[in-house]
Amino acid sequence: MSQAMPYLTTRKHHRRPSGPVRAALLLAALGSTAALTTACSAGPGGVELGDDWDGSRTFALAKVDGLVTVVGINPDRAHAQSLVAVPQHSDDEDAVSPHIARLADGRWMVTVPRKDERPDRRYLVNRKDHTLDGVTAGDERLRRILPGKTLVGEAAGMPDARTASGGPASTVLARDPADWSTKRELKVSGTIGFAASDPASDTVCLGSGSDDRTEVSVANLTDGKVTPVAVPDGFDVKALACKAGRPVVAGSDADGKSGQVKVSVDGGADATTVSVNGGRVDAVQAAGSSIVVAAAKGKDTELVEVDATSGKELHRARIKDLAASLNITPTKAGWLVYAENTVTRVNLATGETKQFDLPGTLQDS
């Protein structure tokens, strides 16, 4: 699944734990990963590169000493290490974060924005040869990749077209991942602030509009049809997921006074609305028959799983001293909660958490 993320700006990072808490977490991480870290070797710019390609179940991007690297995440061993450096060029656009996405066929693609209206650079992660392979994929720029079942959607990071009434619009390209040819172009009004997809469907979910109002729509990559989806009036969308082409919109209840984070679900005709009382929504994902929400409350983060239909709470875990999360991802070993410089593996069934360090500052996951 592809988690919704604003694309045009760099991530707003939050401070990680410090002092005794930070030291204790670091010692715990070192204690469990000593065997893996001994395999590291010096790479470009002196960045330490590891070799845990086989154990890495998912990938992220991090900036290490000024260099962007592809980070392999081993959720079983609660460990992360830089595996390969992303090539640096003088025309890289530092104001926009690079992006990494897993395609439906299992390949991972990295895109790097460039300055002066130049097309993004693209690379495929070569797990066999432990390298990044360059990809020629047209002249588009500043686009977020949305993997579908047979096609890939690419959402523009800023308005680049006009609606029939003359207003600003953003394009979404439907691309064939076999040769990256463009099959069709879709148009969505306004600026796309949220975008999510599910490799089980060729329909992607989008949130666009202004700062004070988000309009949600679904875009069918196979026929080019864009359909607006109704959300409750006044609902402030803070996160978006896409389950088989059905939007899952999440927001915080501004009037919420709950003593603990409480998640409620409203299954509408075209979208599922997730309202969080007593906490700030940072991320949402739809997995199987459930929905998982990461909500910040004070200096901690609550990870709450609810039934997607009834809204009944299924599991809950608290991550102490994590004031904000940037993304959440399911793995067989548990949920991964990403922060600026750390990842926390969460077993929702037991409530057990294990935090470990990223090798640098998270850019995308």
Side-chain angles (χ1 to χ4, degrees), residues 284-308:
V284 63
Q285 278 283 15
S289 60
S290 64
I291 295 170
V292 176
V293 176
K297 185 175 180 63
K299 63 179 182 179
D300 302 332
T301 289
E302 296 273 358
L303 202 64
V304 184
E305 180 182 13
V306 297
D307 184 273

Side-chain angles (χ1 to χ4, degrees), residues 343-354:
V343 182
T344 303
R345 185 189 66 197
V346 180
N347 185 329
L348 274 172
T350 65
E352 179 186 4
T353 65
K354 173 68 175 179

Side-chain angles (χ1 to χ4, degrees), residues 17-339:
S18 58
V21 173
R22 178 67 179 162
L25 292 172
L26 179 58
L27 289 173
L30 290 175
S32 65
T33 61
L36 287 174
T37 56
T38 58
C40 293
S41 60
V47 173
E48 292 293 324
L49 297 179
D51 62 359
D52 188 25
W53 286 87
D54 291 338
S56 297
R57 301 294 176 236
T58 187
F59 294 95
L61 297 178
K63 181 167 285 189
V64 184
D65 295 330
L67 190 66
V68 176
T69 67
V70 175
V71 176
I73 309 290
N74 185 330
D76 298 310
R77 303 190 67 170
H79 181 69
Q81 60 180 208
S82 295
L83 296 178
V84 61
V86 178
Q88 271 189 319
H89 298 272
S90 59
D91 63 350
D92 289 348
E93 177 55 84
D94 295 331
V96 183
S97 294
H99 173 49
I100 188 167
R102 184 182 187 275
L103 306 181
D105 61 9
R107 293 180 297 167
W108 288 80
M109 172 166 274
V110 176
T111 58
V112 180
R114 299 168 68 194
K115 299 175 182 176
D116 302 325
E117 304 296 325
R118 297 176 182 178
D120 297 353
R121 286 192 179 86
R122 301 172 187 229
Y123 305 92
L124 285 172
V125 178
N126 188 326
R127 302 189 67 158
K128 179 181 178 181
D129 297 333
H130 302 175
T131 59
L132 291 179
D133 297 337
V135 176
T136 301
D139 58 358
E140 288 75 26
R141 66 182 302 272
L142 294 179
R143 290 183 173 272
R144 187 163 189 85
I145 294 177
L146 304 170
K149 185 177 182 180
T150 63
L151 298 172
V152 173
E154 294 190 359
M158 62 180 65
D160 58 352
R162 291 285 175 181
T163 63
S165 61
S170 303
T171 57
V172 177
L173 302 180
R175 309 285 295 274
D176 184 342
D179 57 9
W180 296 105
S181 58
T182 300
K183 298 303 181 182
R184 58 192 52 84
E185 181 178 304
L186 295 66
K187 190 181 297 184
V188 179
S189 62
T191 301
I192 298 175
F194 298 97
S197 67
D198 182 350
S201 169
D202 275 325
T203 300
V204 301
C205 303
L206 306 168
S208 62
S210 59
D211 291 337
D212 57 355
R213 178 174 173 79
T214 299
E215 297 179 354
V216 177
S217 59
V218 293
N220 190 318
L221 302 178
T222 58
D223 62 15
K225 185 177 181 180
V226 178
T227 306
V229 174
V231 297
D233 290 339
F235 188 79
D236 188 9
V237 179
K238 294 299 183 184
L240 174 70
C242 200
K243 179 59 177 175
R246 179 183 173 87
V248 178
V249 294
S252 301
D253 182 355
D255 299 324
K257 304 297 182 182
S258 174
Q260 68 172 359
V261 173
K262 183 178 180 181
V263 178
S264 58
V265 172
D266 181 10
D270 301 314
T272 299
T273 302
V274 180
S275 183
V276 176
N277 183 292
R280 183 194 69 242
V281 176
D282 284 339
V284 63
Q285 278 283 15
S289 60
S290 64
I291 295 170
V292 176
V293 176
K297 185 175 180 63
K299 63 179 182 179
D300 302 332
T301 289
E302 296 273 358
L303 202 64
V304 184
E305 180 182 13
V306 297
D307 184 273
T309 302
S310 67
K312 179 183 177 181
E313 182 173 320
L314 303 175
H315 300 102
R316 173 188 296 262
R318 173 173 293 184
I319 307 172
K320 295 183 178 180
D321 299 306
L322 186 68
S325 54
L326 298 175
N327 196 9
I328 56 177
T329 302
T331 72
K332 291 182 179 179
W335 282 83
L336 300 182
V337 182
Y338 291 84

